[in-house]
Every structure is written in C-alpha cells, then in structure tokens.
Amino acid sequence: MVERWTRQRRLEHTRSLLLDAAEQVFAKQGFGGAALEDIAEVAGYTRGAIYSHFGAKEELFLAVIERHRLRLLTSFADVLSSFEGLDTLDIEKLAERWRELTIAGPDGAALGLEFSLFLLRNPDARERLMAQREETISSLAEYITVHVEQLGGTLDIPARTLARILLASNEGVTISGHLDGEDLYGPFLRLVMANITPKAAPVRKPRSRRTS
C-alpha cells in the first residue's frame, strides 16, 4: 500500500531539497555570486518556492548554515557516545568523522568561510545574528562540558573559550588541507585533548580496625 504524504511532510521534503541545492550553490559560487534562480533550478523548483519557504536569499543562506551546524554537533555526539572513557577515545576516529563532514571537496570547505565573510561584510547582519552566534557558543560549550564529564575528564580551560577556539579553527584546518595537502584534523584534535585532564580517582579512606 502506497503511503500518502501529508501536507506537512511535502513541505518538509521541499524545504530539504531547497536547502540541499542552496548549500551546493552557495559553496560553489559564494553568497554574493549565488542567484536564487540557480538554486531553484538545481532543486527542481521555481524561485517562488524559495520565497515561500525562506523569503530573501539571506534567510536561505542562514538556514543552510544552521542545518550544517546541527549536523556537525549531532554527528560528533554519536561518535563520542561510542567511547566509555578518555583511555578508549580514538582521536583518529574523531578526526575521520570531522574530515567526512567538512572536507567533501573544496566547495564544501568554503561554505563556513563564506558565512564568516558574510558577517564581516554585513554589520547589520552581524548585529542581528550576535545573539544566535552566542547561542551557538553556549550550545557547543555545554556539549563539550557534558561529553568531557561523561568521558571522565576535566577541562583545563573554560568550556566557552574552547568552544570559540574550535569554531574559529574549523575553517582554517579544513581549508589549509585543500591548499597545502596537509591533513591537520588529527594534530589539531590532539592539541584540543591536551586541555583535558583525566579526573583523579577518589581517595579511599582506610577502614578503621575495631578493637576488641
């Protein structure tokens, strides 16, 4: 029996296809060079569909970035949950997952840089998105804190500081890999792990002997 799609499901499907197409075009042509007509053509819809779901090009671009951010966090959470502690943490496995998510060709590596350039060139957008950016920092800091705790470690630097460093370094590590041919994912993650210290085992008090 063929399942009938609800209106909500059709809308979500259309939105997903538009985001896929927009991510592809923005990464290849940049925010300024990307035209809504090109995105609509890649997705197989009209420009009107983009306006209906997202409005202006700026809103579509921000939706692409937000989906990419959530995808990164969810994927790393899945990997980290497979380790029981710091002694079983596989840096190479983490590096491989990061590489899979960010280095799918030079065009994909440029997407995060496009977002940073967009904010630098648009003070109004930067001001409008300041709260959202701080929310991203807070979410990543909480994510770091929770998973470090689960792995039995403690941070040597504030979680928010580490979150800012990770966001600032992500683009450079990814793009440098394309420019220089050097894979920096593993070395960078080792630098991050150097700021995590295993928790000391609790000291057990010796039992007092009873005197008869």
Side-chain angles (χ1 to χ4, degrees), residues 66-186:
E66 177 64 11
R67 187 179 69 158
H68 185 67
R69 179 184 71 87
L70 293 175
R71 189 185 298 158
L72 277 170
L73 289 178
T74 301
S75 184
F76 275 114
D78 291 341
V79 175
L80 285 173
S81 63
S82 66
F83 302 116
E84 296 181 356
L86 291 176
D87 57 337
T88 62
L89 187 63
D90 189 337
I91 294 295
E92 292 306 318
K93 187 174 181 180
L94 278 177
E96 180 62 29
R97 177 54 61 91
W98 185 10
R99 191 181 302 111
E100 289 173 356
L101 290 170
T102 59
I103 206 165
D107 294 335
L111 187 61
L113 182 58
E114 277 296 326
F115 181 54
S116 296
L117 292 174
F118 170 77
L119 293 181
L120 284 172
R121 292 165 176 165
N122 295 272
D124 291 340
R126 187 164 67 246
E127 182 71 22
R128 182 164 67 89
L129 292 174
M130 185 176 295
Q132 180 181 327
R133 187 169 175 81
E134 287 302 313
E135 182 181 344
T136 299
I137 297 293
S138 297
S139 298
L140 183 55
E142 181 180 359
Y143 169 87
I144 292 170
T145 301
V146 169
H147 283 84
V148 168
E149 178 73 22
Q150 289 177 349
L151 292 170
T154 57
L155 285 172
D156 296 335
I157 62 175
R160 287 183 66 86
T161 301
L162 181 55
R164 292 185 185 279
I165 291 173
L166 287 171
L167 288 177
S169 303
N170 179 55
E171 296 162 11
V173 169
T174 303
I175 292 175
S176 291
H178 285 293
L179 295 178
D180 305 326
E182 291 289 334
D183 190 332
L184 300 177
Y185 293 95

